[in-house]
């Protein structure tokens, strides 16, 4: 069974600092990996999706890397802003349709 | 176009009652998924529909949980004899096919007193 772990569970940084969020997974046979953002009381918003053949994806201030062989992905958020405060979830997808999620990292960016 | 919608947004019920949670997927999406998210945890897979049929219901915790999608669009998750442990956010997602990106709805927060 795929296990997904996210460290740290919570993170508080001053505005402007870069954020580094980690995700590890136990089974490297994945189809893709996706990073989501979840605001309190809201659903999930997809941020980045990395196919298993890719090493990284970028969107604006966000960059996600994938090292499938070591079972790791990292989400970088540059020049953090208070509006980046949310919970960030990592999800891996094996060769079927089910997503396996980590428990998330709750980020607080202090103004 | 419109995203995935779920109703109600909040549901409070008493232990032992029956509840129905509704999901309206993105128009044209053939695949629909239900996940459950307990406090402080990531979502966990419950069931996957391809069209009208449940292709995989292996995540349903027990036979009190049942889901339908009779016309291949709207889906209803049904929970009988609710228990306090059923309290969670129930998320619905849809995708164009079973291998495409899943788009999530805002969820239904179920509280069983």
């Amino acid at each position: 069974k795929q296990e997904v772990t996210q460290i740290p569970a919570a993170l508080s940084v001053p505005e402007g600092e870069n954020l580094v969020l980690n995700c590890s997974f136990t089974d490297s046979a994945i189809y893709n990996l996706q990073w989501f953002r979840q605001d309190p009381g809201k659903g999930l918003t997809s941020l980045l999706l990395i196919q298993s053949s890719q090493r990284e994806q970028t969107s604006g201030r966000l960059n996600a890397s994938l090292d499938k062989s070591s079972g790791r992905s990292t989400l970088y958020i540059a020049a953090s802003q208070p509006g980046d405060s949310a919970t960030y979830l990592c999800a891996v997808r094996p060769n079927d349709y089910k997503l396996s999620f980590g428990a998330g990292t709750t980020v607080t960016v202090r103004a | 176009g419109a995203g995935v919608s779920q109703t109600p947004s909040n549901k409070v019920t008493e232990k032992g009652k029956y509840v129905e949670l509704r999901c309206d997927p993105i128009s044209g999406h053939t695949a629909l998924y239900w996940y459950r998210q307990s406090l402080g945890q990531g979502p966990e897979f419950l069931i996957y529909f391809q069209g009208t049929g449940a292709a995989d219901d292996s995540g349903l915790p027990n036979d009190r949980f049942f889901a339908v999608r009779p016309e291949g669009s709207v889906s209803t998750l049904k929970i009988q004899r609710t228990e306090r442990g059923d309290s969670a956010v129930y998320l619905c997602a849809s995708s164009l096919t079973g291998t495409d990106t899943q788009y999530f709805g805002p969820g239904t927060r179920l509280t069983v007193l």
Side-chain angles (χ1 to χ4, degrees), chain A residues 29-80:
Chain A
I30 64 169
Y31 182 70
N32 61 40
L33 182 144
Q34 201 164 357
W35 283 93
F36 291 89
R37 170 182 172 139
Q38 187 172 34
D39 293 283
K42 306 289 187 184
L44 307 180
T45 301
S46 180
L47 297 174
L48 291 168
L49 184 150
I50 312 175
Q51 300 293 351
S52 63
S53 58
Q54 297 175 315
R55 298 285 291 185
E56 67 177 343
Q57 277 285 350
T58 298
S59 176
R61 294 184 295 112
L62 276 59
N63 173 277
S65 66
L66 174 63
D67 184 342
K68 204 173 69 163
S69 60
S70 66
R72 296 178 186 273
S73 177
T74 302
L75 177 67
Y76 301 89
I77 304 177
S80 61

Side-chain angles (χ1 to χ4, degrees), chain B residues 5-98:
Chain B
S5 61
Q6 294 185 245
T7 54
S9 56
N10 281 284
K11 176 71 177 178
V12 180
T13 191
E14 294 179 343
K15 180 176 178 296
K17 298 289 189 183
Y18 167 84
V19 296
E20 290 189 350
L21 311 179
R22 176 187 168 107
C23 172
D24 279 90
I26 294 171
S27 178
H29 281 193
T30 63
L32 185 145
Y33 317 80
W34 285 96
Y35 292 83
R36 179 168 74 171
Q37 185 175 24
S38 300
L39 193 63
Q41 302 297 316
E44 293 181 323
F45 170 82
L46 294 177
I47 187 169
Y48 158 58
F49 286 91
Q50 181 55 51
T52 61
D56 184 348
D57 64 358
S58 62
L60 295 178
N62 52 59
D63 61 7
R64 295 186 297 105
F65 289 74
F66 189 72
V68 296
R69 195 186 185 199
E71 298 178 356
S73 178
V74 170
S75 175
T76 304
L77 178 65
K78 308 181 181 194
I79 310 174
Q80 298 178 321
R81 304 183 303 281
T82 52
E83 299 178 356
R84 293 194 180 89
D86 299 334
S87 296
V89 176
Y90 290 81
L91 294 164
C92 176
S94 71
S95 62
L96 197 57
T97 70

